[in-house]
């Protein structure tokens, strides 16, 4: 089920890219791709813009809904699936090795005997 939803998201994303690339912000768009006046007589310039805009919004909403659906599909899985991280959380923290540092009373300040 999860793979199907992810596949649909990828399909919708590719179709969204194609629909956006078919649009032209300077007015040509899909109608200029098919011979200009002949395509505008068949499809119509206004209808082409409306169709591409509706497709764009439909794909965007579809992707959003499917992304939210993946959250609900995977929400029923309890706990983490990473055994290494689970075992690391159960182990006691490592203790630092004891270091033998000289105490301040054992050190003698250097004296200048060459006066």
């Amino acid at each position: 089920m999860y793979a199907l939803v992810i596949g649909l998201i990828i399909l919708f994303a590719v179709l969204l890219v194609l629909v956006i690339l078919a649009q032209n912000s300077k007015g040509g768009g899909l109608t200029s791709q098919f011979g200009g006046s002949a395509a505008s007589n068949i499809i119509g310039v206004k209808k082409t813009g409306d169709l591409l805009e509706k497709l764009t919004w439909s794909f965007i909403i579809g992707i959003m809904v499917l992304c939210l659906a993946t959250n609900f599909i995977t929400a029923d899985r309890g706990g983490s699936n990473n055994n290494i991280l689970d075992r690391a959380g159960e182990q006691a923290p490592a203790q630092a090795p004891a270091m033998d540092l000289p105490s301040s009373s054992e050190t003698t300040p250097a004296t200048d005997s060459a006066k």
Side-chain angles (χ1 to χ4, degrees):
M1 183 69 174
Y2 183 75
L4 175 70
V5 173
I6 295 298
L8 286 174
I9 290 172
I10 293 171
L11 177 68
F12 282 4
V14 169
L15 291 174
L16 178 65
V17 168
L18 293 176
V19 168
I20 289 174
L21 288 176
Q23 298 175 9
N24 187 359
S25 61
K26 299 196 182 198
L30 189 61
T31 58
S32 67
Q33 300 294 325
F34 296 112
S37 63
S40 62
N41 289 337
I42 296 170
I43 301 174
V45 176
K46 180 68 175 157
K47 290 185 179 182
T48 303
D50 289 343
L51 174 69
L52 293 177
E53 184 178 352
K54 287 179 183 178
L55 284 174
T56 302
W57 282 108
S58 299
F59 287 135
I60 290 171
I61 292 170
I63 290 172
M64 290 173 54
V65 168
L66 289 173
C67 287
L68 290 173
T70 58
N71 187 30
F72 293 114
I73 290 172
T74 59
D76 59 351
R77 297 180 188 172
S80 69
N81 293 332
N82 195 340
N83 294 332
I84 295 172
L85 289 177
D86 290 340
R87 283 186 284 159
E90 294 171 0
Q91 292 178 354
Q95 295 184 2
M99 297 176 57
D100 294 332
L101 296 176
S103 64
S104 61
S105 62
E106 293 177 4
T107 59
T108 57
T111 57
D112 191 14
S113 61
K115 282 188 180 179

